[in-house]
Amino acid sequence: SFTAVDNINMSVSAGEIFGFLGANGAGKTTAIRMLCGLLTPSAGRGEVAGFDIMREQKKIRSRIGYMSQKFGLYPDLKASANLSLFGSLYGMGTKAIASRSDELAKILGMTDLLDRMTGSLPWGWQQRLALACAILHKPAVLFLDEPTGSVDPVSRRRFWDLIRKFAEGGTTIFVTTHHMDEAEFCDRIAIMVDGKIADCGSPRELSLRHGGGSFHDVFISIVSGSRK
């Protein structure tokens, strides 16, 4: 009798930062897992990176990056070993992994940390390492499932500066969050309420449609209005 994701409809353009905003239990993570090919929808249709979410999940998984709030890193491996492991899982060769790891380490400012044990790194640096693992194979689409839930505000802001840089390079970013300030970093936002998309648009569009004020007020207005 429970429908986690209920007839949602959307399209996301290449290089766009698209946000899924909603309270815990709104259906964000279930939706993102279907788009990543980790869950098969019970009905409907869709494509990610040109591949069908019903029939071509393996092809989707090879062309996307995925980063969750818990990061998915192995704490008892060095940072460089985590990168090597994720690269090999994506089918990259040894030379390609080494070259791309060095490139990302410079971009992320963590060259001096590659020989450190991952579990010894501060949480903000683990977040950067998890991002590097997710984009090591240059995915067309990067899925971020509440990736900043456990890091401090300064690290969150730096993380979003990096996300913007990768989007400008052509990577499509699909992010779920319940942080109001993060929603305003997105090009467009879909507000999820009880498995449905209650509204969708740029932060400015949503603010104008729902009375202005802070985005927190806008969000509350949308959620309250959809439940009347």
Side-chain angles (χ1 to χ4, degrees):
S1 61
F2 175 73
T3 303
V5 177
D6 192 359
N7 291 300
I8 63 173
N9 184 19
M10 62 189 170
S11 63
V12 181
S13 302
E16 185 175 16
I17 301 179
F18 187 87
F20 249 12
L21 181 66
N24 291 332
K28 306 185 303 298
T29 295
T30 302
I32 211 172
R33 285 177 178 169
M34 289 190 288
L35 295 171
C36 288
L38 301 175
L39 289 175
T40 301
S42 55
R45 60 185 178 85
E47 289 185 356
V48 174
F51 297 100
D52 189 280
I53 63 174
M54 292 289 203
R55 298 180 290 104
E56 298 178 297
Q57 290 97 333
K58 288 185 178 180
K59 291 181 179 179
I60 288 173
R61 289 198 293 270
S62 69
R63 289 163 175 81
I64 64 170
Y66 178 80
M67 178 181 167
S68 69
Q69 182 177 355
K70 295 182 179 179
F71 301 159
L73 300 171
Y74 291 87
D76 53 345
L77 294 180
K78 290 183 178 180
S80 59
N82 265 291
L83 288 165
S84 296
L85 174 61
F86 278 83
S88 65
L89 290 173
Y90 281 114
M92 298 175 66
T94 302
K95 290 184 178 179
I97 292 173
S99 175
R100 179 67 169 159
S101 295
D102 288 344
E103 177 187 357
L104 289 174
K106 291 176 182 177
I107 293 172
L108 299 175
M110 55 187 305
T111 301
D112 295 337
L113 302 178
L114 293 182
D115 286 332
R116 290 267 302 271
M117 296 298 289
T118 298
S120 71
L121 296 175
W123 207 241
W125 288 107
Q126 289 191 40
Q127 180 197 50
R128 293 194 189 195
L129 177 60
L131 176 62
C133 289
I135 62 174
L136 194 68
H137 59 302
K138 298 183 179 180
V141 185
L142 175 61
F143 288 93
L144 306 171
D145 191 8
E146 298 189 9
T148 62
S150 302
V151 297
D152 62 88
V154 174
S155 294
R156 281 206 290 133
R157 186 55 185 259
R158 289 174 178 168
F159 178 81
W160 274 96
D161 289 340
L162 293 168
I163 292 303
R164 176 63 66 183
K165 181 181 295 186
F166 289 120
E168 290 172 351
T171 304
T172 303
I173 311 293
F174 195 110
V175 57
T176 71
T177 183
H178 53 251
H179 292 292
M180 300 299 141
D181 60 327
E182 290 188 351
E184 298 188 67
F185 296 147
C186 298
D187 298 317
R188 283 191 303 137
I189 307 159
I191 309 292
M192 283 200 76
V193 182
D194 299 333
K196 297 178 180 291
I197 293 181
D199 205 346
C200 183
S202 70
R204 177 172 173 77
E205 289 170 345
L206 293 174
S207 181
L208 290 173
R209 279 204 292 269
H210 297 277
S214 70
F215 201 82
H216 182 273
D217 293 334
V218 171
F219 175 75
I220 294 298
S221 174
I222 294 172
V223 172
S224 300
S226 69
R227 287 176 171 170
K228 289 181 178 178

